[in-house]
Amino acid sequence: DTGVSQDPRHKITKRGQNVTFRCDPISEHNRLYWYRQTLGQGPEFLTYFQNEAQLEKSRLLSDRFSAERPKGSFSTLEIQRTEQGDSAMYLCASSFDLVGLEAFFGQGTRLTVV
Amino acid sequence: SQQGEEDPQALSIQEGENATMNCSYKTSINNLQWYRQNSGRGLVHLILIRSNEREKHSGRLRVTLDTSKKSSSLLITASRAADTASYFCATDAGGSGGSNYKLTFGKGTLLTVNP
C-alpha cells in the first residue's frame, strides 16, 4: 500500500497523559499536513510541513501540541497533558506541490480521552 | 474557522437517482476540491476544480464552480448504495508567498443511498 499511513488507528488515553501519533506520507510527497476532525464537523487545519520545515501552525494548536517531521519523511504529532476536548480524529495528509493542492489523506487516528 | 458550507446537511435518495450537493464559500480561492468520507474513515479525494474552470467531470461525478457566486456543486449520477458517505468541499485560498498549502473544509453533506 503506497498511500498515507497513520498509526495507531485508535488510541484511548486517560486525561493528563501524553500521546504521540505517527504519519508516513506518500514517499515522493514533500508536503505534509495535520488536520483535526470532531464529530459532525469537517477537518480543521492544524499544521503544515514543507520537507522538514514546519511553515505554519493553526491557533488550534496550543502549546500542548507539537509536531515534527525529521528528515522530511514521517511526521509525529504529540499531545501533552491530554484533555477531554482533545478527543477527535487526527488526520494526516500529504501532497506534491507541483500538482497543486491535491492532498491525499490517511485513515486517521481516533483519539478518545477519558 | 470553516469557510465552506455544504447544503443540504443530509440527503437521502434511492439507488439510481442523482444526488446534488452544493457548497458555498466566503473568500476568493485558487481551487476547490471535493472529498468523500465513509463513517469513521479517512477522506478520499474525488475531484479538484481550479478557479479558472467552470465545470469538470470524472466518471459519474460532475462538479461546477461559479466564482462570482462563490459556490460549487457536486452531482453524482446514477447513485449506488456504495456512494453512501459524507461529502466535503474544501477550498484552497492560497497563503503567504503565493504557496497553496491549507484547505478549509465545510461541515459536509451526509448522503444516504437506499438500495
Side-chain angles (χ1 to χ4, degrees):
Chain A
D1 187 347
T2 57
V4 177
S5 177
Q6 291 188 246
D7 183 68
R9 292 290 309 279
H10 303 273
K11 178 71 176 178
I12 300 174
T13 191
K14 292 183 178 180
R15 191 173 51 186
Q17 297 293 304
N18 298 344
V19 293
T20 300
F21 311 139
R22 176 179 171 125
C23 171
D24 287 274
I26 294 172
S27 58
E28 62 267 27
H29 285 179
N30 57 349
R31 293 184 174 180
L32 186 147
Y33 320 81
W34 285 98
Y35 286 79
R36 182 173 71 185
Q37 185 180 24
T38 53
L39 202 60
Q41 303 292 316
E44 293 180 291
F45 173 83
L46 291 180
T47 190
Y48 151 71
F49 290 86
Q50 176 94 8
N51 300 311
E52 67 273 13
Q54 187 175 20
L55 297 187
E56 183 170 331
K57 297 196 300 184
S58 162
R59 285 172 293 177
L60 294 174
L61 218 63
S62 75
D63 56 7
R64 296 184 298 104
F65 288 71
S66 62
E68 295 182 345
R69 193 185 182 196
K71 302 178 183 178
S73 55
F74 72 92
S75 175
T76 58
L77 177 67
E78 181 183 17
I79 309 174
Q80 296 182 326
R81 305 181 303 282
T82 53
E83 302 172 355
Q84 286 189 322
D86 297 331
S87 294
M89 174 82 88
Y90 290 84
L91 294 161
C92 176
S94 68
S95 73
F96 188 44
D97 56 6
L98 290 183
V99 295
L101 207 64
E102 184 177 357
F104 295 86
F105 282 78
Q107 293 297 303
T109 294
R110 180 165 296 284
L111 173 67
T112 303
V113 182
V114 297
Chain B
S1 63
Q2 306 204 285
Q3 160 157 250
E5 189 169 315
E6 288 89 346
D7 171 59
Q9 290 187 347
L11 179 62
S12 181
I13 60 174
Q14 295 299 121
E15 210 165 23
E17 295 180 340
N18 296 342
T20 299
M21 288 159 270
N22 302 297
C23 169
S24 59
Y25 57 92
K26 299 172 185 172
T27 66
S28 60
I29 61 172
N30 293 317
N31 63 65
L32 184 145
Q33 301 177 55
W34 285 90
Y35 285 85
R36 184 186 75 211
Q37 185 177 39
N38 291 85
S39 179
R41 308 296 296 274
L43 286 93
V44 174
H45 183 268
L46 295 177
I47 197 164
L48 179 153
I49 186 166
R50 302 187 193 285
S51 60
N52 61 353
E53 297 176 312
R54 292 297 167 257
E55 188 171 312
K56 205 162 183 179
H57 297 253
S58 176
R60 294 184 295 113
L61 306 180
R62 183 176 82 108
V63 169
T64 63
L65 179 64
D66 187 335
T67 53
S68 66
K69 295 181 179 178
K70 291 186 170 60
S71 67
S72 174
S73 68
L74 170 67
L75 168 68
I76 304 174
T77 59
S79 63
R80 305 165 182 168
D83 295 328
T84 294
S86 291
Y87 291 81
F88 294 91
C89 69
T91 53
D92 162 31
S96 59
S99 61
N100 308 321
Y101 56 81
K102 182 165 67 177
L103 295 176
T104 304
F105 287 82
K107 293 185 179 182
T109 292
L110 177 60
L111 173 66
T112 302
V113 181
N114 302 301

